[in-house]
Amino acid sequence: MSTNNTYLAVFLGSKTSARRAAWDALPEGERRAQEKEGMLAWKAWAEKHQDAIVTMGGPLGKTKKVTQRGIDDTSNDMGAFTVVRADSHEAAAKLFEKHPHFAIFPGDAVEIMPVLPIPGAS
């Protein structure tokens, strides 16, 4: 369990999934209507859980990967993040059940992990 009950939620979505392909194939008007519905639902989710949200976070852009060899462009399934506070890992995860990210939008999942203390830090 996180010592400060803080959890990082990472929103995942494959750019090549069947759900994403179906979303992209929607007529523009229908897609925009679903986007509007999704954003309203996301706002309602944030209002419902406002006491648990430490930082709303936001969408993530293109990724750079830094290694011993240098800096490269890369790709992953991370699309957004939010930081929440909850009494347990399970309670943090429950905040994201039926989240609009995958209930309305073509997202795949939300992964929630505790933010742990830095070893040796006081």
Side-chain angles (χ1 to χ4, degrees):
M1 184 161 112
S2 170
T3 59
N4 58 5
N5 294 330
T6 302
Y7 298 85
L8 173 66
V10 178
F11 297 80
L12 303 173
S14 170
K15 296 170 184 76
T16 59
S17 72
R19 290 188 73 217
R20 177 63 185 260
W23 176 269
D24 291 343
L26 289 172
E28 185 175 349
E30 189 176 335
R31 190 175 60 250
R32 291 212 185 278
Q34 285 193 16
E35 287 171 352
K36 184 176 181 180
E37 175 189 353
M39 292 312 298
L40 289 172
W42 203 304
K43 182 179 179 185
W45 176 89
E47 288 172 0
K48 178 180 179 182
H49 299 293
Q50 66 185 346
D51 291 341
I53 296 171
V54 175
T55 182
M56 192 61 190
L60 301 171
K62 294 185 179 190
T63 303
K64 296 280 187 190
K65 181 179 180 179
V66 181
T67 66
Q68 290 178 334
R69 293 186 315 270
I71 300 171
D72 295 302
D73 291 330
T74 192
S75 179
N76 58 49
D77 290 343
M78 292 185 273
F81 80 99
T82 295
V83 178
V84 297
R85 214 169 252 125
D87 290 335
S88 69
H89 200 169
E90 184 72 21
K94 286 186 178 292
L95 295 172
F96 295 90
E97 287 183 318
K98 300 179 184 170
H99 192 280
H101 171 68
F102 51 80
I104 297 172
F105 289 108
D108 295 327
V110 181
E111 292 185 358
I112 296 89
M113 58 214 84
V115 177
L116 301 173
I118 297 172
S122 50

